[in-house]
Amino acid sequence: MRTDQILPRLERVFARLDREPERPAHLQTPQMSRHRVVLFGSTLAFYLAIVVAVLTTSWLVRLDWQIMFFRPYEQWPQVHAFLDYLVVLGQRGPTAVMVAAWLGWRSWRQHTLRPLIALGVALLLLNVTVGAVKLGLGRLGPHYATEIGSAELFAGGDIFPSGHTANAVVTWGILAYLASTTVTRRVLSVVSAVVSLSVGATTVYLGTHWVSDVLLGWSAGLLILLALPWFEPLIARVEAYVFDVRELLRRRAETGRMPAPVVTALTPLLSAGGKWQLQRVTDPAQAPAPAPAAQPAAAAAAVPAVVTAHSPAPRPAAHVSARQHVIRSERTPVTPVGSRRPAHGERAAARGAAAARPVAGG
């Protein structure tokens, strides 16, 4: 598909997103309340306790081995086929596609990119935090264990914490985090909890994870969901940046090239419709007057910043003086009066003074 066919389609999508969000007025962006901070601290303490219990080869490691020797997949083989499909709800690829499709429809309906950006931030945090612990501890799974009773740490594995469990908590929990009503948020919270618990228990049944892996995966995913309000300002800035880049691309599509850095200045002007435009200024005298140095706090907060990271910094306009300059060819020549050569008596006196001067170094 050519660029001239893609740009009109993107323009129709962004034209709908340009409208005001249709979120209910009573539902605000989640904040980091005291209750959420307490939950975050308690979950973090539980997370660290599990890590210490595995590092010290405590009773939790013995429980891991007891369940591994119990072999649940041999005790209840009749549910093995069903649980093979259920565990897919924790795989990152299929779940990310399904949730992204739903949130994309939500973005289209609510005229905002926040749901998709929040999902991207949550998945990025999941990959960084869980992946770092997996590679750092290097624990082997039950099928690859070599020493009975050992924690199997620092052996080159990547099983601790459980990625399936943490991914199930984040991908399905983000739906509850972004719910449009309070009732929907509560219902989706229960659904995501049931799905994540089922996926974690299924990995233990199949013998692909220890019990401690699943416990740490649950807490790791919950920590990401609880910490998302801290990233709401970043989500808002990314959304504004996407729209600003789209504005620059639309200007380039209209003009066929980016504005020249010398004769063009990108200046934010508030139009009557309430949208920010980019005005091309070719004459320095027509440039808008600079804003005053001190502005009220309310006015400064009401004016959004326009991102011009992809455009070159404009050079300062040349100084224009009110007085007309006169070129050199139009100036009136001044001819000195009389001869420039000194008189004969003055020349003789000068030669006599030079002869009486002592020679240096003599």
Side-chain angles (χ1 to χ4, degrees), residues 9 14 64 76 95 98 108 113 118 142 145 153 159 179 195 211 215 231 244 265 275 282 344 360:
R9 296 186 179 183
F14 278 102
D64 290 338
W76 302 285
T95 56
M98 289 186 291
W108 173 266
L113 293 176
L153 294 172
I159 209 73
V195 171
V211 174
L215 295 177
F231 296 88
D244 290 332
K275 298 295 181 181
T282 57
H344 176 73

Side-chain angles (χ1 to χ4, degrees), residues 32 35-47 223 226:
M32 204 65 186
H35 177 69
R36 187 180 288 267
V37 171
V38 171
L39 287 177
F40 182 85
S42 303
T43 307
L44 181 60
F46 182 72
Y47 182 97
L223 284 176
L226 292 174

